[in-house]
Short mmCIF file of all heavy atoms in Angstrom, two decimals:
data_model
loop_
_atom_site.label_atom_id
_atom_site.label_comp_id
_atom_site.label_asym_id
_atom_site.label_seq_id
_atom_site.Cartn_x
_atom_site.Cartn_y
_atom_site.Cartn_z
N ALA Z 75 -43.22 -99.41 8.19
CA ALA Z 75 -43.71 -100.61 8.88
C ALA Z 75 -45.16 -100.44 9.31
O ALA Z 75 -45.90 -101.41 9.44
CB ALA Z 75 -42.84 -100.93 10.08
N LYS Z 76 -45.56 -99.19 9.54
CA LYS Z 76 -46.92 -98.90 9.98
C LYS Z 76 -47.77 -98.31 8.86
O LYS Z 76 -48.92 -97.92 9.09
CB LYS Z 76 -46.90 -97.92 11.16
CG LYS Z 76 -46.25 -98.50 12.42
CD LYS Z 76 -46.33 -97.50 13.57
CE LYS Z 76 -45.72 -98.09 14.83
NZ LYS Z 76 -45.77 -97.14 15.97
N ASN Z 77 -47.20 -98.20 7.66
CA ASN Z 77 -47.93 -97.61 6.53
C ASN Z 77 -48.50 -96.25 6.88
O ASN Z 77 -49.64 -95.91 6.54
CB ASN Z 77 -49.05 -98.53 6.06
CG ASN Z 77 -48.55 -99.70 5.25
OD1 ASN Z 77 -47.35 -99.92 5.11
ND2 ASN Z 77 -49.47 -100.48 4.71
N THR Z 78 -47.69 -95.44 7.53
CA THR Z 78 -48.18 -94.15 8.02
C THR Z 78 -47.16 -93.05 7.75
O THR Z 78 -45.95 -93.26 7.90
CB THR Z 78 -48.48 -94.21 9.53
OG1 THR Z 78 -49.45 -95.24 9.77
CG2 THR Z 78 -49.04 -92.89 10.04
N VAL Z 79 -47.68 -91.90 7.37
CA VAL Z 79 -46.88 -90.68 7.22
C VAL Z 79 -47.38 -89.67 8.24
O VAL Z 79 -48.58 -89.56 8.48
CB VAL Z 79 -46.99 -90.12 5.79
CG1 VAL Z 79 -46.40 -88.72 5.70
CG2 VAL Z 79 -46.30 -91.04 4.80
N TYR Z 80 -46.45 -88.93 8.81
CA TYR Z 80 -46.77 -87.95 9.84
C TYR Z 80 -46.39 -86.55 9.37
O TYR Z 80 -45.45 -86.36 8.60
CB TYR Z 80 -46.02 -88.26 11.12
CG TYR Z 80 -46.25 -89.65 11.64
CD1 TYR Z 80 -45.34 -90.67 11.39
CD2 TYR Z 80 -47.40 -89.96 12.38
CE1 TYR Z 80 -45.54 -91.95 11.85
CE2 TYR Z 80 -47.62 -91.23 12.83
CZ TYR Z 80 -46.68 -92.23 12.58
OH TYR Z 80 -46.91 -93.50 13.04
N LEU Z 81 -47.14 -85.58 9.87
CA LEU Z 81 -46.78 -84.18 9.67
C LEU Z 81 -46.79 -83.51 11.04
O LEU Z 81 -47.87 -83.27 11.61
CB LEU Z 81 -47.75 -83.48 8.73
CG LEU Z 81 -47.36 -82.04 8.35
CD1 LEU Z 81 -46.09 -82.04 7.49
CD2 LEU Z 81 -48.49 -81.33 7.61
N GLN Z 82 -45.61 -83.28 11.58
CA GLN Z 82 -45.47 -82.59 12.85
C GLN Z 82 -45.49 -81.10 12.59
O GLN Z 82 -44.63 -80.58 11.87
CB GLN Z 82 -44.17 -82.99 13.55
CG GLN Z 82 -43.94 -82.28 14.87
CD GLN Z 82 -44.93 -82.67 15.94
OE1 GLN Z 82 -45.20 -83.87 16.14
NE2 GLN Z 82 -45.50 -81.69 16.63
N MET Z 83 -46.46 -80.41 13.16
CA MET Z 83 -46.63 -78.98 12.93
C MET Z 83 -46.37 -78.24 14.23
O MET Z 83 -47.03 -78.51 15.24
CB MET Z 83 -48.04 -78.70 12.42
CG MET Z 83 -48.43 -79.52 11.20
SD MET Z 83 -50.03 -79.07 10.51
CE MET Z 83 -51.10 -79.48 11.86
N SER Z 84 -45.44 -77.31 14.20
CA SER Z 84 -45.08 -76.53 15.38
C SER Z 84 -45.17 -75.04 15.05
O SER Z 84 -45.24 -74.66 13.89
CB SER Z 84 -43.66 -76.88 15.84
OG SER Z 84 -43.54 -78.25 16.10
N SER Z 85 -45.16 -74.23 16.10
CA SER Z 85 -45.25 -72.77 15.93
C SER Z 85 -46.39 -72.41 15.00
O SER Z 85 -46.24 -71.60 14.07
CB SER Z 85 -43.93 -72.22 15.39
OG SER Z 85 -42.86 -72.53 16.27
N LEU Z 86 -47.54 -73.00 15.25
CA LEU Z 86 -48.67 -72.81 14.36
C LEU Z 86 -49.17 -71.37 14.38
O LEU Z 86 -49.13 -70.69 15.42
CB LEU Z 86 -49.80 -73.77 14.74
CG LEU Z 86 -49.56 -75.21 14.26
CD1 LEU Z 86 -50.45 -76.18 15.03
CD2 LEU Z 86 -49.81 -75.33 12.77
N LYS Z 87 -49.65 -70.95 13.22
CA LYS Z 87 -50.15 -69.59 13.02
C LYS Z 87 -51.61 -69.65 12.58
O LYS Z 87 -52.03 -70.65 11.98
CB LYS Z 87 -49.32 -68.87 11.95
CG LYS Z 87 -47.83 -68.85 12.21
CD LYS Z 87 -47.10 -68.24 11.03
CE LYS Z 87 -45.60 -68.24 11.24
NZ LYS Z 87 -44.87 -67.66 10.07
N PRO Z 88 -52.37 -68.61 12.80
CA PRO Z 88 -53.76 -68.61 12.32
C PRO Z 88 -53.86 -68.88 10.82
O PRO Z 88 -54.84 -69.51 10.37
CB PRO Z 88 -54.24 -67.21 12.67
CG PRO Z 88 -53.44 -66.83 13.87
CD PRO Z 88 -52.09 -67.43 13.64
N GLU Z 89 -52.88 -68.45 10.06
CA GLU Z 89 -52.92 -68.69 8.61
C GLU Z 89 -52.67 -70.14 8.22
O GLU Z 89 -52.79 -70.50 7.05
CB GLU Z 89 -51.93 -67.77 7.87
CG GLU Z 89 -50.53 -67.78 8.43
CD GLU Z 89 -50.28 -66.63 9.39
OE1 GLU Z 89 -51.16 -66.35 10.25
OE2 GLU Z 89 -49.18 -66.01 9.30
N ASP Z 90 -52.34 -70.99 9.19
CA ASP Z 90 -52.22 -72.42 8.93
C ASP Z 90 -53.59 -73.11 8.98
O ASP Z 90 -53.69 -74.30 8.68
CB ASP Z 90 -51.29 -73.08 9.96
CG ASP Z 90 -49.85 -72.61 9.82
OD1 ASP Z 90 -49.37 -72.48 8.68
OD2 ASP Z 90 -49.22 -72.38 10.88
N THR Z 91 -54.60 -72.38 9.37
CA THR Z 91 -55.95 -72.95 9.46
C THR Z 91 -56.42 -73.41 8.08
O THR Z 91 -56.40 -72.64 7.12
CB THR Z 91 -56.94 -71.91 10.01
OG1 THR Z 91 -56.58 -71.61 11.37
CG2 THR Z 91 -58.36 -72.42 9.96
N ALA Z 92 -56.79 -74.68 7.98
CA ALA Z 92 -57.20 -75.27 6.71
C ALA Z 92 -57.60 -76.72 6.94
O ALA Z 92 -57.38 -77.27 8.02
CB ALA Z 92 -56.06 -75.21 5.70
N VAL Z 93 -58.18 -77.31 5.90
CA VAL Z 93 -58.34 -78.76 5.87
C VAL Z 93 -57.06 -79.33 5.26
O VAL Z 93 -56.63 -78.88 4.19
CB VAL Z 93 -59.57 -79.19 5.06
CG1 VAL Z 93 -59.66 -80.70 5.01
CG2 VAL Z 93 -60.83 -78.59 5.66
N TYR Z 94 -56.47 -80.29 5.95
CA TYR Z 94 -55.22 -80.89 5.50
C TYR Z 94 -55.51 -82.26 4.89
O TYR Z 94 -56.21 -83.08 5.49
CB TYR Z 94 -54.24 -81.02 6.66
CG TYR Z 94 -53.60 -79.69 7.01
CD1 TYR Z 94 -54.35 -78.68 7.61
CD2 TYR Z 94 -52.26 -79.44 6.74
CE1 TYR Z 94 -53.76 -77.45 7.92
CE2 TYR Z 94 -51.67 -78.23 7.05
CZ TYR Z 94 -52.42 -77.24 7.63
OH TYR Z 94 -51.85 -76.02 7.93
N TYR Z 95 -54.94 -82.48 3.71
CA TYR Z 95 -55.12 -83.73 2.98
C TYR Z 95 -53.77 -84.39 2.73
O TYR Z 95 -52.78 -83.71 2.46
CB TYR Z 95 -55.76 -83.47 1.62
CG TYR Z 95 -57.11 -82.79 1.65
CD1 TYR Z 95 -57.21 -81.41 1.67
CD2 TYR Z 95 -58.27 -83.55 1.64
CE1 TYR Z 95 -58.45 -80.78 1.68
CE2 TYR Z 95 -59.52 -82.93 1.65
CZ TYR Z 95 -59.59 -81.56 1.68
OH TYR Z 95 -60.82 -80.95 1.70
N CYS Z 96 -53.74 -85.72 2.77
CA CYS Z 96 -52.58 -86.43 2.28
C CYS Z 96 -52.94 -87.10 0.95
O CYS Z 96 -54.11 -87.35 0.67
CB CYS Z 96 -52.05 -87.44 3.29
SG CYS Z 96 -53.17 -88.77 3.74
N ALA Z 97 -51.91 -87.35 0.17
CA ALA Z 97 -52.12 -87.89 -1.17
C ALA Z 97 -50.89 -88.67 -1.60
O ALA Z 97 -49.78 -88.43 -1.12
CB ALA Z 97 -52.40 -86.76 -2.16
N THR Z 98 -51.09 -89.59 -2.52
CA THR Z 98 -49.99 -90.42 -3.02
C THR Z 98 -49.45 -89.89 -4.34
O THR Z 98 -50.16 -89.27 -5.13
CB THR Z 98 -50.45 -91.87 -3.25
OG1 THR Z 98 -51.40 -91.90 -4.32
CG2 THR Z 98 -51.08 -92.46 -2.01
N LYS Z 99 -48.18 -90.17 -4.56
CA LYS Z 99 -47.53 -89.80 -5.81
C LYS Z 99 -46.62 -90.93 -6.24
O LYS Z 99 -45.92 -91.52 -5.41
CB LYS Z 99 -46.71 -88.51 -5.62
CG LYS Z 99 -46.01 -88.03 -6.91
CD LYS Z 99 -45.09 -86.88 -6.64
CE LYS Z 99 -44.33 -86.47 -7.90
NZ LYS Z 99 -43.51 -87.59 -8.42
N GLU Z 100 -46.63 -91.23 -7.53
CA GLU Z 100 -45.68 -92.20 -8.06
C GLU Z 100 -44.26 -91.70 -7.78
O GLU Z 100 -44.01 -90.50 -7.77
CB GLU Z 100 -45.90 -92.39 -9.55
CG GLU Z 100 -47.22 -93.04 -9.91
CD GLU Z 100 -47.33 -94.47 -9.39
OE1 GLU Z 100 -46.30 -95.14 -9.28
OE2 GLU Z 100 -48.47 -94.89 -9.09
N PRO Z 101 -43.33 -92.63 -7.53
CA PRO Z 101 -42.01 -92.22 -7.06
C PRO Z 101 -41.16 -91.48 -8.09
O PRO Z 101 -40.26 -90.74 -7.72
CB PRO Z 101 -41.35 -93.54 -6.65
CG PRO Z 101 -42.07 -94.58 -7.44
CD PRO Z 101 -43.47 -94.09 -7.58
N TYR Z 102 -41.44 -91.70 -9.39
CA TYR Z 102 -40.59 -91.08 -10.40
C TYR Z 102 -41.39 -90.15 -11.30
O TYR Z 102 -42.53 -90.40 -11.63
CB TYR Z 102 -39.93 -92.17 -11.25
CG TYR Z 102 -39.11 -93.13 -10.44
CD1 TYR Z 102 -39.51 -94.45 -10.29
CD2 TYR Z 102 -37.94 -92.72 -9.81
CE1 TYR Z 102 -38.76 -95.34 -9.55
CE2 TYR Z 102 -37.19 -93.60 -9.05
CZ TYR Z 102 -37.60 -94.91 -8.93
OH TYR Z 102 -36.87 -95.78 -8.18
N GLY Z 103 -40.72 -89.07 -11.69
CA GLY Z 103 -41.31 -88.16 -12.66
C GLY Z 103 -42.25 -87.16 -12.06
O GLY Z 103 -42.91 -87.44 -11.06
N GLY Z 104 -42.34 -85.99 -12.64
CA GLY Z 104 -43.25 -84.95 -12.22
C GLY Z 104 -42.75 -84.23 -10.98
O GLY Z 104 -41.98 -84.75 -10.18
N SER Z 105 -43.23 -83.02 -10.85
CA SER Z 105 -42.81 -82.19 -9.72
C SER Z 105 -43.61 -82.54 -8.46
O SER Z 105 -44.84 -82.66 -8.51
CB SER Z 105 -43.04 -80.72 -10.05
OG SER Z 105 -42.87 -79.91 -8.90
N VAL Z 106 -42.93 -82.65 -7.34
CA VAL Z 106 -43.62 -82.93 -6.09
C VAL Z 106 -44.49 -81.76 -5.66
O VAL Z 106 -45.40 -81.92 -4.83
CB VAL Z 106 -42.63 -83.26 -4.94
CG1 VAL Z 106 -41.79 -84.47 -5.29
CG2 VAL Z 106 -41.75 -82.06 -4.63
N TYR Z 107 -44.25 -80.59 -6.24
CA TYR Z 107 -45.00 -79.40 -5.86
C TYR Z 107 -46.31 -79.25 -6.66
O TYR Z 107 -47.12 -78.39 -6.34
CB TYR Z 107 -44.14 -78.15 -6.08
CG TYR Z 107 -42.83 -78.18 -5.34
CD1 TYR Z 107 -41.64 -78.51 -6.00
CD2 TYR Z 107 -42.77 -77.91 -3.98
CE1 TYR Z 107 -40.44 -78.56 -5.32
CE2 TYR Z 107 -41.57 -77.94 -3.29
CZ TYR Z 107 -40.40 -78.27 -3.96
OH TYR Z 107 -39.22 -78.32 -3.28
N SER Z 108 -46.49 -80.08 -7.67
CA SER Z 108 -47.66 -79.97 -8.53
C SER Z 108 -48.77 -80.91 -8.08
O SER Z 108 -48.60 -82.12 -8.04
CB SER Z 108 -47.28 -80.31 -9.98
OG SER Z 108 -48.42 -80.34 -10.79
N ILE Z 109 -49.92 -80.33 -7.79
CA ILE Z 109 -51.05 -81.12 -7.30
C ILE Z 109 -51.49 -82.15 -8.34
O ILE Z 109 -52.04 -83.20 -7.98
CB ILE Z 109 -52.21 -80.18 -6.91
CG1 ILE Z 109 -53.26 -80.92 -6.09
CG2 ILE Z 109 -52.82 -79.54 -8.15
CD1 ILE Z 109 -54.31 -80.00 -5.49
N ASP Z 110 -51.25 -81.89 -9.61
CA ASP Z 110 -51.67 -82.81 -10.67
C ASP Z 110 -50.91 -84.13 -10.64
O ASP Z 110 -51.32 -85.09 -11.29
CB ASP Z 110 -51.48 -82.14 -12.03
CG ASP Z 110 -52.37 -80.94 -12.22
OD1 ASP Z 110 -53.41 -80.87 -11.53
OD2 ASP Z 110 -52.04 -80.07 -13.04
N GLN Z 111 -49.80 -84.18 -9.93
CA GLN Z 111 -48.99 -85.39 -9.88
C GLN Z 111 -49.47 -86.38 -8.82
O GLN Z 111 -48.92 -87.47 -8.71
CB GLN Z 111 -47.53 -85.02 -9.59
CG GLN Z 111 -46.90 -84.17 -10.69
CD GLN Z 111 -46.86 -84.89 -12.02
OE1 GLN Z 111 -46.57 -86.07 -12.10
NE2 GLN Z 111 -47.21 -84.17 -13.09
N TYR Z 112 -50.48 -86.02 -8.06
CA TYR Z 112 -50.95 -86.85 -6.96
C TYR Z 112 -52.22 -87.58 -7.37
O TYR Z 112 -53.10 -87.00 -8.01
CB TYR Z 112 -51.16 -86.00 -5.70
CG TYR Z 112 -49.84 -85.49 -5.18
CD1 TYR Z 112 -49.23 -84.38 -5.76
CD2 TYR Z 112 -49.18 -86.13 -4.14
CE1 TYR Z 112 -47.99 -83.93 -5.31
CE2 TYR Z 112 -47.96 -85.68 -3.68
CZ TYR Z 112 -47.37 -84.58 -4.29
OH TYR Z 112 -46.15 -84.14 -3.84
N ASP Z 113 -52.29 -88.84 -6.98
CA ASP Z 113 -53.34 -89.70 -7.50
C ASP Z 113 -54.47 -89.97 -6.52
O ASP Z 113 -55.62 -89.70 -6.79
CB ASP Z 113 -52.72 -91.05 -7.92
CG ASP Z 113 -51.63 -90.86 -8.97
OD1 ASP Z 113 -51.90 -90.18 -9.97
OD2 ASP Z 113 -50.52 -91.38 -8.77
N TYR Z 114 -54.16 -90.52 -5.37
CA TYR Z 114 -55.16 -90.91 -4.39
C TYR Z 114 -55.12 -89.93 -3.21
O TYR Z 114 -54.03 -89.57 -2.76
CB TYR Z 114 -54.94 -92.34 -3.91
CG TYR Z 114 -55.07 -93.35 -5.00
CD1 TYR Z 114 -53.95 -93.86 -5.66
CD2 TYR Z 114 -56.33 -93.79 -5.41
CE1 TYR Z 114 -54.08 -94.78 -6.69
CE2 TYR Z 114 -56.47 -94.72 -6.43
CZ TYR Z 114 -55.33 -95.20 -7.07
OH TYR Z 114 -55.47 -96.11 -8.08
N TRP Z 115 -56.30 -89.58 -2.73
CA TRP Z 115 -56.42 -88.56 -1.69
C TRP Z 115 -57.24 -89.09 -0.52
O TRP Z 115 -58.16 -89.88 -0.70
CB TRP Z 115 -57.11 -87.32 -2.25
CG TRP Z 115 -56.30 -86.59 -3.28
CD1 TRP Z 115 -56.16 -86.93 -4.59
CD2 TRP Z 115 -55.51 -85.41 -3.06
NE1 TRP Z 115 -55.33 -86.03 -5.22
CE2 TRP Z 115 -54.92 -85.09 -4.29
CE3 TRP Z 115 -55.25 -84.61 -1.97
CZ2 TRP Z 115 -54.08 -83.99 -4.46
CZ3 TRP Z 115 -54.43 -83.51 -2.12
CH2 TRP Z 115 -53.84 -83.21 -3.36
N GLY Z 116 -56.90 -88.60 0.66
CA GLY Z 116 -57.73 -88.87 1.82
C GLY Z 116 -58.88 -87.89 1.90
O GLY Z 116 -59.04 -87.02 1.04
N GLN Z 117 -59.68 -88.02 2.96
CA GLN Z 117 -60.87 -87.20 3.11
C GLN Z 117 -60.59 -85.86 3.78
O GLN Z 117 -61.42 -84.96 3.78
CB GLN Z 117 -61.94 -87.95 3.91
CG GLN Z 117 -61.80 -87.88 5.43
CD GLN Z 117 -60.61 -88.64 5.97
OE1 GLN Z 117 -59.98 -89.44 5.28
NE2 GLN Z 117 -60.29 -88.40 7.23
#
Side-chain angles (χ1 to χ4, degrees):
K76 295 183 178 179
N77 283 6
T78 301
V79 168
Y80 304 99
L81 186 68
Q82 178 67 47
M83 306 186 297
S84 303
S85 301
L86 283 162
K87 305 174 182 179
E89 50 264 44
D90 294 318
T91 295
V93 178
Y94 284 70
Y95 301 88
C96 62
T98 66
K99 180 187 176 300
E100 293 295 330
Y102 302 111
S105 170
V106 300
Y107 303 100
S108 174
I109 194 171
D110 295 337
Q111 296 299 318
Y112 293 79
D113 302 309
Y114 297 98
W115 293 79
Q117 83 291 347

